[in-house]
Amino acid sequence: MNLLSIFRRGSAPIARERLQILLAHEREARDQPDLLGVLREDILAAISRHVSFDPDKVQITMDRGATVSTLAVDIEIPNRRRPSGSLPRYNRLMIDAEVASARSQWTNGLC
Amino acid sequence: MSEGKSARVLVVTSGKGGVGKTTSTAAMGAALAHLGEKVVVVDFDVGLRNLDLVLGAERRVVFDLINVINGVAKLQQALIRDKRLENLYLLPASQTRDKDALSEEGVAKVIAELRTKFDWIVCDSPAGIERGATLAMRHADAAIIVTNPEVSSVRDSDRIIGLLDSKTERAERGECVDKHLLITRYHPWRAARGEMLSIEDVLEILSIPLLGIIPESEEVLRASNVGSPVTVNAALSAPARAYFDATRRLKGEQIPMQIPNESRGIFNKLFGRKAA
């Protein structure tokens, strides 16, 4: 610590903070290589037991935040009956879930 | 090979290029040999070999790692004995452009043979996370992660730590690769002024044990210029002493960590200016 640094703080604290945030996300992604893929399969399997839908009309997105991430599932479900001659109509099933960011749960072993 | 002692395979890696992997491999390989260990340094940077140049052996390369893997040459024919340290050997990389020349089985065979002949097998990894880098770390018992106190280097080191925990033989057996952090090109005055990540910052972010701190020094550049490891060329210089301390720690000795410091006058201490 010196006199000047009191007035002119260096850029190292910014570097540290940026790295901490970035690496927290990258480690999470690394430790759960295909979380989205696994979730997608499980969610679609559960829903397909009750309604039929076109797998191509499914959107699953994960929005990562600092403390909480949001998982959004958007599925188009065709209506079973539609009046002849009219355009096909769809219902839309949307699931929103908040997923707490937890790294430890997914890490394996202590290296 | 000292009887009854098991060989250690060490990978020197970083992810990012230009942080000092080859310099550190040469410096610590020479330091280990100086301390009485029988050492081979292996260049895994196929196509861009440089360890031969840093060790001043570039004109003595006849056969290389790929020749040994392909059976063109025997291991003994490819090994180059250092002219200054009789315990130090180099296994050079090939200059071939074919990266696939390095086969997984071939590398396993060569490492297994080296284990019977040496105390330490120091693998100099290429930059990146491609085949060459993963093969260099594949059989490692321990890893030195070379990091500069700078954002891109720290990020890449974190990535490499992830690979060491998943892609190595040890990781696949459910064991750990011993990881050691070597901070190179450290500028004490920049860290003191908050212009560069401090040692504590890097340690907190990467959370692996610190092996040593190598200060930025013209001696390191001079050593590569003349083709001699800094631990041989300027053994009493600050970077060489830091490399020797790191090497002793690697061997299990308890050496107190010295954070490189600059002797500065009262004016500089007050105003944080580096003396010209």
Side-chain angles (χ1 to χ4, degrees), chain B residues 53-54 56 84 221-228 233:
Chain B
L53 194 56
V54 169
R84 296 148 299 214
L221 181 61
R222 186 172 299 140
S224 343
N225 284 347
V226 300
S228 172
N233 200 53

Side-chain angles (χ1 to χ4, degrees), chain A residues 1-11, chain B residues 187-196 261-262 264-275:
Chain A
M1 185 60 75
N2 57 59
L3 284 181
L4 268 188
S5 67
I6 295 168
F7 301 104
R8 190 195 58 196
R9 224 162 135 240
S11 52
Chain B
H187 297 252
W189 72 92
R190 286 197 175 144
R193 279 159 53 168
E195 295 171 4
M196 179 181 248
N261 218 333
E262 274 211 325
R264 294 185 301 177
I266 183 76
F267 179 86
N268 285 321
K269 272 189 182 144
L270 275 173
F271 295 99
R273 296 223 171 91
K274 190 196 166 238

